Amino acid sequence: MSSKNSDITATTENLESAIDRYRREDVLAMLKKGVLNGLSDDKTEYFYCRLATLRSTEILDYLSKQKTYFPAKMMQLDFDTSQNRSFVLDALEKYRKKFNLSDDEECDLLFAIACSVGDARLVKNLIRKKKAANYYPLIGSAPFPVFIQVSQIAAGAISDDQWLELYLSAFTSRDGSARMDYMLRQGMDLFRKNAEGKNAADLLEERIQSYRYGSKKTGAIRKFRKSNYCLS
């Protein structure tokens, strides 16, 4: 059970202990007493990341009034836990204006997080702002609502190697055939080649031989090759 809020001494040590014990009421009480006041930026960021693990909208509401921007890394939770994914997705939506989209490093991390949790709106917004281009290949294996934002990427926005990396991650996803069909319907050039003269089908075939993917992936190659013949 939580202790009486009025009796809590607001120290960082007590804050750490309350976070470890998931005592959200105690944590909020100490925040309101100014426990984070006067801390360095690095220490404040550390506590914001720790506080996010409590998955408390009430705490985030309070923090949103105290700081101009949330550090993107506070949303970098363990996404193997479905509760964390849902919480982060909701937080990215509710506090969208609390993340600094003018900072390139922040955008890179936000893009990766958005791909992990399925925030299609944030991914589309970052592509529109021409941010996090080096992370576009993550779209290939992202949840389908995020994946379809691939149609928003300009043909010359990333290198041929990055396009091939995106295609490969898409083709080797559980629903790889559906992803390939979508990109073909969008008129995307799935047969562009890298500096070695290989396209995604060539690289996928090499991976199948190396890692022994199942027949489903072999079928994807045949379909891919067939599509190439039809388009040529």
Side-chain angles (χ1 to χ4, degrees):
M1 294 179 61
S2 173
S3 60
K4 293 181 180 180
N5 296 154
S6 59
D7 296 335
I8 300 172
T9 302
T11 65
T12 54
E13 291 79 8
N14 285 344
L15 181 62
E16 289 264 26
S17 177
I19 293 171
D20 288 340
R21 296 169 184 241
Y22 281 80
R23 292 185 172 180
R24 296 177 177 88
E25 291 184 8
D26 290 355
V27 167
L28 186 57
M30 282 186 276
L31 290 175
K32 291 180 177 179
K33 289 181 179 182
V35 68
L36 297 183
N37 293 349
L39 296 181
S40 67
D41 289 343
D42 287 345
K43 198 67 174 177
T44 300
E45 183 177 88
Y46 164 77
F47 275 109
Y48 271 58
C49 292
R50 293 237 44 212
L51 291 165
T53 65
L54 297 176
R55 298 195 304 265
S56 168
T57 300
E58 189 175 9
I59 288 174
L60 289 190
D61 282 344
Y62 179 82
L63 293 177
S64 69
K65 300 171 184 176
Q66 310 305 312
K67 193 172 177 66
T68 303
Y69 291 118
F70 283 160
K73 66 167 59 176
M74 71 185 286
M75 296 289 103
Q76 199 173 27
L77 303 182
D78 177 9
F79 298 132
D80 287 336
T81 304
S82 60
Q83 285 180 310
N84 284 349
R85 288 198 303 273
S86 297
F87 170 74
V88 170
L89 186 57
D90 290 342
L92 290 176
E93 175 64 29
K94 182 172 184 179
Y95 306 104
R96 199 168 296 279
K97 293 182 179 180
K98 294 300 298 183
F99 295 98
N100 187 3
L101 299 189
S102 65
D103 184 298
D104 289 341
E105 289 187 6
E106 290 289 284
C107 287
D108 288 347
L109 184 51
L110 282 171
F111 192 92
I113 292 170
C115 285
S116 295
V117 301
D119 189 340
R121 180 180 172 188
L122 179 55
V123 167
K124 183 176 182 178
N125 189 30
L126 289 170
I127 292 174
R128 182 177 60 81
K129 292 178 178 293
K130 299 180 180 180
K131 296 288 188 178
N134 287 334
Y135 289 78
Y136 289 176
L138 294 177
I139 291 177
S141 57
F144 209 84
V146 170
F147 166 73
I148 62 176
Q149 302 309 318
V150 69
S151 61
Q152 304 296 319
I153 302 175
I158 54 178
S159 69
D160 288 339
D161 284 336
Q162 288 174 310
W163 274 114
L164 295 190
E165 183 181 345
L166 190 159
Y167 293 157
L168 283 172
S169 62
F171 299 159
T172 55
S173 296
R174 181 177 301 176
D175 54 353
S177 293
R179 292 175 186 241
M180 184 175 66
D181 287 342
Y182 176 81
M183 289 187 287
L184 287 171
R185 290 197 304 272
Q186 294 298 313
M188 301 180 71
D189 180 10
L190 303 188
F191 313 104
R192 63 200 307 157
K193 297 181 179 180
N194 62 14
E196 298 177 350
K198 296 180 179 180
N199 63 26
D202 298 323
L203 298 182
L204 179 57
E205 192 163 21
E206 289 178 0
R207 290 196 180 188
I208 287 174
Q209 293 172 350
S210 299
Y211 301 107
R212 298 184 180 181
Y213 282 114
S215 58
K216 179 179 178 181
K217 303 307 178 185
T218 305
I221 286 186
R222 287 198 296 268
K223 188 172 184 179
F224 188 32
R225 299 288 190 195
K226 183 179 180 181
S227 299
N228 191 9
Y229 299 147
C230 293
L231 293 176
S232 59

